[in-house]
C-alpha cells in the first residue's frame, strides 16, 4: 500500500530565516506530487505540482520554491521567510492520470514570527 | 485561479437529518470535479471524483451529482451522523487535470 510522509508537523520560524519542508511517498512510482497551502480563513491553494523528477510547475508567484530531486521526494523551500508565509502546508500525490484522486499528507503548521 | 464557491459555509444539523451542499465553478475547460472530506486533525480524504456531465456517485449515505454545462455540483448526506462532522471541500480541475482549485469548504456539525 502507498503511504505519504510529511515533516515536520509544526514549525515556528523567525522572519527572514530559510525553510525546508519535505514530503516522501512510498509504495508507488512516478507519482504526481503537489504542495498546497491553507492560509487563515482561506481555502487550500495549489502552490506547486510536479509530474516527474526535476519538473516543477508553479501556480502562484510567491516567496517559495519547490524541487523534486528524486521520484518520490518533493521539497518546499524558501530562502527568507515572510510573515505572509504562515499557514498550513499540505503535500499530496496522485497516480498521474485523469481523473486523479489525490492523497494527502498530515500537513505542516508553519508560524512565521 | 478558478472562482469556486461553496455554500453554505457552515451548517449545523441534528442527527438523522438529511442535508445538501452546493459547489459552483466555471464550466469552461473542465477536467474533473472532486469532493473531499476533511476531519479535524486528519488529512483531507477523497469522497468522489466526477468527470462527465450528469455523473452521479454514491458512497454509503453520501452521494454527489455533477452538472458541467452550468458549472455546479451537489453533495447530499442522508441521515446525518455525528461522524459525518467535517469540512467538505469541492475541487474542480481546469486547464489540466493537475490544476485543482479547492473551494473554502462547507463545515458540517452534526448534533447528537
Amino acid at each position: 500500500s502507498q503511504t505519504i510522509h510529511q515533516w515536520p508537523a509544526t514549525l515556528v520560524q523567525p522572519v527572514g530565516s530559510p525553510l525546508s519542508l519535505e514530503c516522501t511517498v512510498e509504495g508507488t512510482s512516478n507519482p504526481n506530487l503537489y504542495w498546497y497551502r491553507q492560509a487563515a480563513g482561506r481555502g487550500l491553494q495549489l502552490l506547486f505540482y510536479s509530474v516527474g523528477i526535476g519538473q516543477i510547475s508553479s501556480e502562484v508567484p510567491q516567496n517559495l520554491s519547490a524541487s523534486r530531486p528524486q521520484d518520490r521526494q518533493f521539497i518546499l523551500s524558501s530562502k527568507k521567510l515572510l510573515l505572509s508565509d504562515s499557514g498550513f502546508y499540505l503535500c499530496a500525490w496522485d497516480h498521474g492520470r485523469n481523473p486523479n484522486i489525490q492523497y494527502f499528507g498530515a500537513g505542516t503548521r508553519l508560524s512565521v514570527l | 485561479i478558478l472562482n469556486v464557491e461553496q455554500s453554505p459555509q457552515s451548517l449545523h444539523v441534528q442527527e438523522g437529518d438529511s442535508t445538501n451542499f452546493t459547489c459552483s465553478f466555471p464550466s469552461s475547460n473542465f477536467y474533473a470535479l472532486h469532493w473531499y472530506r476533511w476531519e479535524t486533525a486528519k488529512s483531507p480524504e477523497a469522497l468522489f471524483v466526477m468527470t462527465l456531465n450528469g455523473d452521479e456517485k454514491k458512497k454509503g449515505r453520501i452521494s454527489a451529482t455533477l452538472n458541467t454545462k452550468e458549472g455546479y455540483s451537489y453533495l447530499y448526506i442522508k441521515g446525518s451522523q455525528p461522524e459525518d462532522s467535517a469540512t467538505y471541500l469541492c475541487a474542480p480541475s481546469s486547464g489540466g487535470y493537475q490544476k485543482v482549485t479547492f473551494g473554502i469548504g462547507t463545515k458540517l456539525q452534526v448534533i447528537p
Side-chain angles (χ1 to χ4, degrees):
Chain A
S1 64
Q2 301 92 354
T3 55
I4 178 169
H5 303 280
Q6 186 182 342
W7 66 94
T10 59
L11 192 58
V12 181
Q13 292 285 99
V15 169
S17 64
L19 173 73
S20 180
L21 302 181
E22 189 164 341
C23 173
T24 59
V25 179
E26 295 178 355
T28 188
S29 59
N30 198 29
N32 288 343
L33 296 170
Y34 303 81
W35 279 111
Y36 291 90
R37 176 175 63 199
Q38 184 182 40
R42 308 282 296 274
L44 280 174
Q45 181 182 36
L46 178 62
L47 301 176
F48 301 95
Y49 70 89
S50 171
V51 300
I53 296 174
Q55 300 179 62
I56 308 295
S57 295
S58 174
E59 288 300 292
V60 292
Q62 59 203 314
N63 183 43
L64 302 169
S65 62
S67 62
R68 184 171 178 173
Q70 301 181 45
D71 181 45
R72 291 168 291 173
Q73 183 185 29
F74 206 23
I75 297 171
L76 184 69
S77 304
S78 174
K79 292 182 179 178
K80 290 184 178 181
L81 284 168
L82 306 172
L83 288 173
S84 57
D85 292 323
S86 295
F88 188 64
Y89 289 81
L90 277 167
C91 179
W93 72 275
D94 66 42
H95 286 289
R97 55 184 178 269
N98 192 39
N100 55 323
I101 292 175
Q102 295 189 5
Y103 302 91
F104 288 84
T108 296
R109 175 76 58 190
L110 172 66
S111 299
V112 183
L113 305 176
Chain B
I1 299 176
L2 288 182
N3 183 25
V4 181
E5 295 184 0
Q6 290 191 247
S7 63
Q9 288 196 10
S10 66
L11 191 59
H12 290 76
V13 301
Q14 292 290 330
E15 181 175 354
D17 286 350
S18 294
T19 187
N20 64 85
F21 321 137
T22 303
C23 171
S24 63
F25 53 90
S27 56
S28 59
N29 211 7
F30 173 86
Y31 275 71
L33 189 286
H34 306 244
W35 281 100
Y36 287 83
R37 175 168 60 197
W38 196 356
E39 296 179 67
T40 302
K42 294 187 178 180
S43 306
E45 179 184 272
L47 289 172
F48 309 110
V49 56
M50 298 176 285
T51 57
L52 300 177
N53 185 48
D55 263 353
E56 293 186 22
K57 297 270 179 151
K58 187 175 181 182
K59 185 177 182 179
R61 294 178 290 99
I62 304 176
S63 60
T65 61
L66 177 65
N67 184 319
T68 60
K69 293 185 178 179
E70 297 182 36
Y72 64 84
S73 176
Y74 295 132
L75 186 79
Y76 303 91
I77 302 178
K78 184 178 179 182
S80 302
Q81 299 297 308
E83 58 264 31
D84 296 328
S85 296
T87 297
Y88 290 82
L89 302 174
C90 163
S93 55
S94 174
Y97 75 86
Q98 303 95 336
K99 299 185 178 184
V100 179
T101 300
F102 282 81
I104 199 166
T106 292
K107 187 172 184 178
L108 173 67
Q109 184 72 37
V110 181
I111 303 165

